[in-house]
PDB file of all heavy atoms in Angstrom:
ATOM      1  N   MET A   1       0.848  -1.176   0.000  1.00  0.00           N
ATOM      2  CA  MET A   1       0.000   0.000   0.000  1.00  0.00           C
ATOM      3  C   MET A   1       0.888   1.233   0.000  1.00  0.00           C
ATOM      4  O   MET A   1       2.084   1.158   0.288  1.00  0.00           O
ATOM      5  CB  MET A   1      -0.896   0.021   1.246  1.00  0.00           C
ATOM      6  CG  MET A   1      -1.931  -1.085   1.276  1.00  0.00           C
ATOM      7  SD  MET A   1      -2.832  -1.031   2.816  1.00  0.00           S
ATOM      8  CE  MET A   1      -3.366   0.672   2.840  1.00  0.00           C
ATOM      9  N   ALA A   2       0.284   2.370  -0.329  1.00  0.00           N
ATOM     10  CA  ALA A   2       1.047   3.616  -0.314  1.00  0.00           C
ATOM     11  C   ALA A   2       1.606   3.840   1.075  1.00  0.00           C
ATOM     12  O   ALA A   2       0.895   3.784   2.069  1.00  0.00           O
ATOM     13  CB  ALA A   2       0.142   4.778  -0.708  1.00  0.00           C
ATOM     14  N   GLY A   3       2.909   4.086   1.134  1.00  0.00           N
ATOM     15  CA  GLY A   3       3.544   4.307   2.433  1.00  0.00           C
ATOM     16  C   GLY A   3       3.787   3.025   3.179  1.00  0.00           C
ATOM     17  O   GLY A   3       4.176   3.048   4.333  1.00  0.00           O
ATOM     18  N   GLY A   4       3.569   1.867   2.522  1.00  0.00           N
ATOM     19  CA  GLY A   4       3.685   0.595   3.223  1.00  0.00           C
ATOM     20  C   GLY A   4       4.972  -0.121   2.902  1.00  0.00           C
ATOM     21  O   GLY A   4       5.017  -1.351   2.907  1.00  0.00           O
ATOM     22  N   GLU A   5       6.028   0.573   2.596  1.00  0.00           N
ATOM     23  CA  GLU A   5       7.296  -0.054   2.266  1.00  0.00           C
ATOM     24  C   GLU A   5       7.791  -0.864   3.459  1.00  0.00           C
ATOM     25  O   GLU A   5       7.764  -0.432   4.600  1.00  0.00           O
ATOM     26  CB  GLU A   5       8.310   1.019   1.893  1.00  0.00           C
ATOM     27  CG  GLU A   5       9.631   0.449   1.385  1.00  0.00           C
ATOM     28  CD  GLU A   5      10.579   1.547   0.940  1.00  0.00           C
ATOM     29  OE1 GLU A   5      10.159   2.716   0.916  1.00  0.00           O
ATOM     30  OE2 GLU A   5      11.716   1.207   0.620  1.00  0.00           O
ATOM     31  N   GLY A   6       8.232  -2.097   3.165  1.00  0.00           N
ATOM     32  CA  GLY A   6       8.679  -2.966   4.242  1.00  0.00           C
ATOM     33  C   GLY A   6       7.546  -3.674   4.941  1.00  0.00           C
ATOM     34  O   GLY A   6       7.729  -4.238   6.012  1.00  0.00           O
ATOM     35  N   ARG A   7       6.379  -3.648   4.326  1.00  0.00           N
ATOM     36  CA  ARG A   7       5.190  -4.267   4.923  1.00  0.00           C
ATOM     37  C   ARG A   7       5.398  -5.767   5.088  1.00  0.00           C
ATOM     38  O   ARG A   7       5.871  -6.448   4.189  1.00  0.00           O
ATOM     39  CB  ARG A   7       3.991  -4.006   4.013  1.00  0.00           C
ATOM     40  CG  ARG A   7       2.679  -4.553   4.540  1.00  0.00           C
ATOM     41  CD  ARG A   7       1.633  -4.455   3.431  1.00  0.00           C
ATOM     42  NE  ARG A   7       0.293  -4.565   3.973  1.00  0.00           N
ATOM     43  CZ  ARG A   7      -0.767  -4.812   3.223  1.00  0.00           C
ATOM     44  NH1 ARG A   7      -0.632  -4.946   1.920  1.00  0.00           N
ATOM     45  NH2 ARG A   7      -1.967  -4.890   3.753  1.00  0.00           N
ATOM     46  N   VAL A   8       5.027  -6.288   6.246  1.00  0.00           N
ATOM     47  CA  VAL A   8       5.149  -7.709   6.517  1.00  0.00           C
ATOM     48  C   VAL A   8       3.756  -8.284   6.757  1.00  0.00           C
ATOM     49  O   VAL A   8       3.014  -7.798   7.616  1.00  0.00           O
ATOM     50  CB  VAL A   8       6.038  -7.966   7.756  1.00  0.00           C
ATOM     51  CG1 VAL A   8       6.094  -9.465   8.050  1.00  0.00           C
ATOM     52  CG2 VAL A   8       7.428  -7.408   7.530  1.00  0.00           C
ATOM     53  N   THR A   9       3.393  -9.303   5.969  1.00  0.00           N
ATOM     54  CA  THR A   9       2.088  -9.947   6.110  1.00  0.00           C
ATOM     55  C   THR A   9       2.232 -11.170   7.003  1.00  0.00           C
ATOM     56  O   THR A   9       3.115 -11.996   6.782  1.00  0.00           O
ATOM     57  CB  THR A   9       1.554 -10.375   4.733  1.00  0.00           C
ATOM     58  OG1 THR A   9       1.437  -9.222   3.911  1.00  0.00           O
ATOM     59  CG2 THR A   9       0.200 -11.050   4.862  1.00  0.00           C
ATOM     60  N   PRO A  10       1.393 -11.302   8.023  1.00  0.00           N
ATOM     61  CA  PRO A  10       1.533 -12.445   8.929  1.00  0.00           C
ATOM     62  C   PRO A  10       1.214 -13.759   8.226  1.00  0.00           C
ATOM     63  O   PRO A  10       0.361 -13.830   7.352  1.00  0.00           O
ATOM     64  CB  PRO A  10       0.509 -12.144  10.030  1.00  0.00           C
ATOM     65  CG  PRO A  10      -0.497 -11.260   9.378  1.00  0.00           C
ATOM     66  CD  PRO A  10       0.269 -10.425   8.406  1.00  0.00           C
ATOM     67  N   GLN A  11       1.930 -14.806   8.623  1.00  0.00           N
ATOM     68  CA  GLN A  11       1.638 -16.150   8.145  1.00  0.00           C
ATOM     69  C   GLN A  11       0.625 -16.785   9.099  1.00  0.00           C
ATOM     70  O   GLN A  11       0.793 -16.740  10.318  1.00  0.00           O
ATOM     71  CB  GLN A  11       2.917 -16.983   8.097  1.00  0.00           C
ATOM     72  CG  GLN A  11       3.928 -16.471   7.075  1.00  0.00           C
ATOM     73  CD  GLN A  11       5.195 -17.314   7.075  1.00  0.00           C
ATOM     74  OE1 GLN A  11       5.601 -17.838   8.107  1.00  0.00           O
ATOM     75  NE2 GLN A  11       5.812 -17.446   5.915  1.00  0.00           N
ATOM     76  N   LEU A  12      -0.424 -17.373   8.549  1.00  0.00           N
ATOM     77  CA  LEU A  12      -1.523 -17.889   9.360  1.00  0.00           C
ATOM     78  C   LEU A  12      -1.764 -19.373   9.066  1.00  0.00           C
ATOM     79  O   LEU A  12      -2.466 -19.714   8.108  1.00  0.00           O
ATOM     80  CB  LEU A  12      -2.810 -17.095   9.086  1.00  0.00           C
ATOM     81  CG  LEU A  12      -2.708 -15.578   9.259  1.00  0.00           C
ATOM     82  CD1 LEU A  12      -4.001 -14.917   8.819  1.00  0.00           C
ATOM     83  CD2 LEU A  12      -2.401 -15.228  10.705  1.00  0.00           C
ATOM     84  N   PRO A  13      -1.181 -20.272   9.850  1.00  0.00           N
ATOM     85  CA  PRO A  13      -1.466 -21.696   9.645  1.00  0.00           C
ATOM     86  C   PRO A  13      -2.968 -21.974   9.805  1.00  0.00           C
ATOM     87  O   PRO A  13      -3.563 -21.582  10.809  1.00  0.00           O
ATOM     88  CB  PRO A  13      -0.658 -22.374  10.752  1.00  0.00           C
ATOM     89  CG  PRO A  13       0.384 -21.370  11.135  1.00  0.00           C
ATOM     90  CD  PRO A  13      -0.246 -20.031  10.946  1.00  0.00           C
ATOM     91  N   SER A  14      -3.561 -22.611   8.830  1.00  0.00           N
ATOM     92  CA  SER A  14      -5.010 -22.828   8.854  1.00  0.00           C
ATOM     93  C   SER A  14      -5.410 -24.070   9.634  1.00  0.00           C
ATOM     94  O   SER A  14      -6.564 -24.200  10.059  1.00  0.00           O
ATOM     95  CB  SER A  14      -5.551 -22.958   7.427  1.00  0.00           C
ATOM     96  OG  SER A  14      -5.005 -24.089   6.790  1.00  0.00           O
ATOM     97  N   GLY A  15      -4.471 -24.989   9.819  1.00  0.00           N
ATOM     98  CA  GLY A  15      -4.805 -26.204  10.548  1.00  0.00           C
ATOM     99  C   GLY A  15      -5.699 -27.138   9.745  1.00  0.00           C
ATOM    100  O   GLY A  15      -5.911 -26.967   8.548  1.00  0.00           O
ATOM    101  N   GLU A  16      -6.230 -28.127  10.431  1.00  0.00           N
ATOM    102  CA  GLU A  16      -7.114 -29.105   9.805  1.00  0.00           C
ATOM    103  C   GLU A  16      -8.247 -29.417  10.772  1.00  0.00           C
ATOM    104  O   GLU A  16      -8.027 -29.560  11.964  1.00  0.00           O
ATOM    105  CB  GLU A  16      -6.342 -30.387   9.466  1.00  0.00           C
ATOM    106  CG  GLU A  16      -7.111 -31.362   8.609  1.00  0.00           C
ATOM    107  CD  GLU A  16      -6.233 -32.517   8.167  1.00  0.00           C
ATOM    108  OE1 GLU A  16      -5.658 -33.186   9.053  1.00  0.00           O
ATOM    109  OE2 GLU A  16      -6.115 -32.745   6.944  1.00  0.00           O
ATOM    110  N   ASN A  17      -9.470 -29.509  10.272  1.00  0.00           N
ATOM    111  CA  ASN A  17     -10.631 -29.776  11.112  1.00  0.00           C
ATOM    112  C   ASN A  17     -11.009 -31.249  11.047  1.00  0.00           C
ATOM    113  O   ASN A  17     -10.981 -31.856   9.974  1.00  0.00           O
ATOM    114  CB  ASN A  17     -11.838 -28.946  10.666  1.00  0.00           C
ATOM    115  CG  ASN A  17     -11.659 -27.480  10.970  1.00  0.00           C
ATOM    116  OD1 ASN A  17     -10.558 -27.035  11.285  1.00  0.00           O
ATOM    117  ND2 ASN A  17     -12.725 -26.713  10.856  1.00  0.00           N
ATOM    118  N   LYS A  18     -11.387 -31.808  12.194  1.00  0.00           N
ATOM    119  CA  LYS A  18     -11.927 -33.162  12.221  1.00  0.00           C
ATOM    120  C   LYS A  18     -13.310 -33.106  12.846  1.00  0.00           C
ATOM    121  O   LYS A  18     -13.472 -32.703  13.993  1.00  0.00           O
ATOM    122  CB  LYS A  18     -11.023 -34.105  13.017  1.00  0.00           C
ATOM    123  CG  LYS A  18     -11.601 -35.527  13.076  1.00  0.00           C
ATOM    124  CD  LYS A  18     -10.576 -36.549  13.525  1.00  0.00           C
ATOM    125  CE  LYS A  18     -10.223 -36.421  14.980  1.00  0.00           C
ATOM    126  NZ  LYS A  18      -9.324 -37.518  15.414  1.00  0.00           N
ATOM    127  N   VAL A  19     -14.323 -33.503  12.070  1.00  0.00           N
ATOM    128  CA  VAL A  19     -15.696 -33.522  12.565  1.00  0.00           C
ATOM    129  C   VAL A  19     -16.001 -34.931  13.051  1.00  0.00           C
ATOM    130  O   VAL A  19     -15.812 -35.908  12.325  1.00  0.00           O
ATOM    131  CB  VAL A  19     -16.690 -33.106  11.462  1.00  0.00           C
ATOM    132  CG1 VAL A  19     -18.120 -33.167  11.987  1.00  0.00           C
ATOM    133  CG2 VAL A  19     -16.371 -31.703  10.968  1.00  0.00           C
ATOM    134  N   THR A  20     -16.460 -35.033  14.291  1.00  0.00           N
ATOM    135  CA  THR A  20     -16.702 -36.338  14.912  1.00  0.00           C
ATOM    136  C   THR A  20     -18.174 -36.479  15.287  1.00  0.00           C
ATOM    137  O   THR A  20     -18.789 -35.547  15.807  1.00  0.00           O
ATOM    138  CB  THR A  20     -15.846 -36.495  16.175  1.00  0.00           C
ATOM    139  OG1 THR A  20     -14.471 -36.351  15.828  1.00  0.00           O
ATOM    140  CG2 THR A  20     -16.066 -37.861  16.807  1.00  0.00           C
ATOM    141  N   SER A  21     -18.729 -37.649  15.005  1.00  0.00           N
ATOM    142  CA  SER A  21     -20.105 -37.964  15.395  1.00  0.00           C
ATOM    143  C   SER A  21     -20.103 -39.240  16.223  1.00  0.00           C
ATOM    144  O   SER A  21     -19.430 -40.221  15.881  1.00  0.00           O
ATOM    145  CB  SER A  21     -20.987 -38.149  14.158  1.00  0.00           C
ATOM    146  OG  SER A  21     -22.287 -38.588  14.533  1.00  0.00           O
ATOM    147  N   ASN A  22     -20.836 -39.235  17.331  1.00  0.00           N
ATOM    148  CA  ASN A  22     -20.983 -40.416  18.180  1.00  0.00           C
ATOM    149  C   ASN A  22     -22.465 -40.784  18.254  1.00  0.00           C
ATOM    150  O   ASN A  22     -23.311 -39.934  18.555  1.00  0.00           O
ATOM    151  CB  ASN A  22     -20.452 -40.136  19.587  1.00  0.00           C
ATOM    152  CG  ASN A  22     -18.945 -39.943  19.599  1.00  0.00           C
ATOM    153  OD1 ASN A  22     -18.183 -40.883  19.470  1.00  0.00           O
ATOM    154  ND2 ASN A  22     -18.510 -38.698  19.738  1.00  0.00           N
ATOM    155  N   VAL A  23     -22.780 -42.045  17.968  1.00  0.00           N
ATOM    156  CA  VAL A  23     -24.172 -42.491  17.993  1.00  0.00           C
ATOM    157  C   VAL A  23     -24.322 -43.677  18.938  1.00  0.00           C
ATOM    158  O   VAL A  23     -23.373 -44.425  19.181  1.00  0.00           O
ATOM    159  CB  VAL A  23     -24.673 -42.888  16.588  1.00  0.00           C
ATOM    160  CG1 VAL A  23     -24.556 -41.719  15.618  1.00  0.00           C
ATOM    161  CG2 VAL A  23     -23.926 -44.099  16.048  1.00  0.00           C
ATOM    162  N   THR A  24     -25.527 -43.829  19.468  1.00  0.00           N
ATOM    163  CA  THR A  24     -25.889 -44.985  20.280  1.00  0.00           C
ATOM    164  C   THR A  24     -27.162 -45.592  19.699  1.00  0.00           C
ATOM    165  O   THR A  24     -28.152 -44.892  19.510  1.00  0.00           O
ATOM    166  CB  THR A  24     -26.119 -44.595  21.744  1.00  0.00           C
ATOM    167  OG1 THR A  24     -24.931 -43.992  22.275  1.00  0.00           O
ATOM    168  CG2 THR A  24     -26.462 -45.812  22.591  1.00  0.00           C
TER     169      THR A  24
END
């Protein structure tokens, strides 16, 4: 961006989702 010299963008690990269902 204007005036943004040296700008550093954060790294964002997204991870992984596990959806679990338990039934009886």
Side-chain angles (χ1 to χ4, degrees):
M1 293 176 53
E5 186 176 354
R7 182 190 198 196
V8 178
T9 301
Q11 295 179 328
L12 305 174
S14 63
E16 190 173 56
N17 290 13
K18 179 165 71 174
V19 179
T20 302
S21 174
N22 292 286
V23 301
T24 301

